[in-house]
Amino acid sequence: MKKFFKKLFVEIPWWAWLISLALFGIQSGVYHFSDVLANKIGTIDYAFEPVIHAIDDKIPFVPFFIFFYFLSYPSWMLGFAIIGKCRREKYINFTIAVMTALIIGFLFFTFVPTKLDRVSMNVLEKAENGKGLLWWLAREVYKADGWERGYNALPSFHCMMSTFCLLPLIKDNTFKKGFKIYSVIIASLVYVSTLLTRQHYILDIPCGMALAAICYYTIFAINPGKKILAKHPKLDDKKPEIIEESK
């Protein structure tokens, strides 16, 4: 196990950690700045609810899942950093794909904003009266996101970023099976948490996942990483070692 964590953390390129932190910061900035801009130009007044009552009205509020909602943040940073173990060309394409998705998400949030109504969900009274850490976290999330109404819901950035943590692992032997299983479990819990914390409607989830997949496979088809490395060959690398779990 010691050997595994050494390879997992110590041998991840330092620049991968920096890029991971930068992507997280940009994601947060896009989310909040788009809200400010939508209020400034008035598009927020036309925000609509992408609700499917037959499904969304039956989804319960489960405060325990607020833990997994918050767990998404360190999981993204860790996932994006570990992906730095891939070939340099792949990592460049991956980073461009994430940035492309963030730009598209920014345009959606600013010019086609959506909202969710927590009053009709009947969760605010429960959050106000609930005691303990999980209820406190729920209140803080709601306060930071409009309290009665939340915005910037479609596409779900939580689902989009978690999907980006999974896509590079497909058919890539750089990562062991155990890490792939771990990543799928964490991403799945994040997907579910967006619903059970009543932070999203059901439609937001597949839209976030689809945006990540479309940007990822489109950018990899164009392959700008290959062109960038052709112009800057010193940035290229050899195939990295496989991250091994200790037996």
Side-chain angles (χ1 to χ4, degrees), residues 1 35 39 71 102-103 107 118 123 150 163 183-184 186 244:
M1 185 62 68
D35 186 55
N39 277 279
L71 183 63
L102 288 173
I103 292 173
L107 295 175
R118 296 195 184 95
V123 298
T163 301
S183 298
V184 170
I186 293 297
E244 299 178 347

Side-chain angles (χ1 to χ4, degrees), residues 60-61 121-131 135 139:
F61 174 47
M121 290 178 175
N122 298 316
V123 298
L124 295 182
E125 185 176 353
K126 295 177 182 179
E128 284 182 318
N129 298 325
K131 297 181 180 180
W135 289 105
R139 286 193 293 271

Side-chain angles (χ1 to χ4, degrees), residues 4-5 19 23 25 74 97 117-118 121 127 131 136 143 152 171 176 210 214 225 240 244-246:
F4 169 69
F5 280 104
I19 293 175
L23 289 175
D117 186 358
R118 296 195 184 95
M121 290 178 175
K131 297 181 180 180
W136 177 79
K143 289 177 183 178
N152 295 350
K171 296 181 180 180
K176 297 294 288 185
I214 291 171
E244 299 178 347
E245 295 179 331
S246 61

Side-chain angles (χ1 to χ4, degrees), residues 22-34:
L23 289 175
F24 179 79
I26 293 171
Q27 180 272 151
S28 180
V30 164
Y31 184 88
H32 292 289
F33 180 66
S34 61

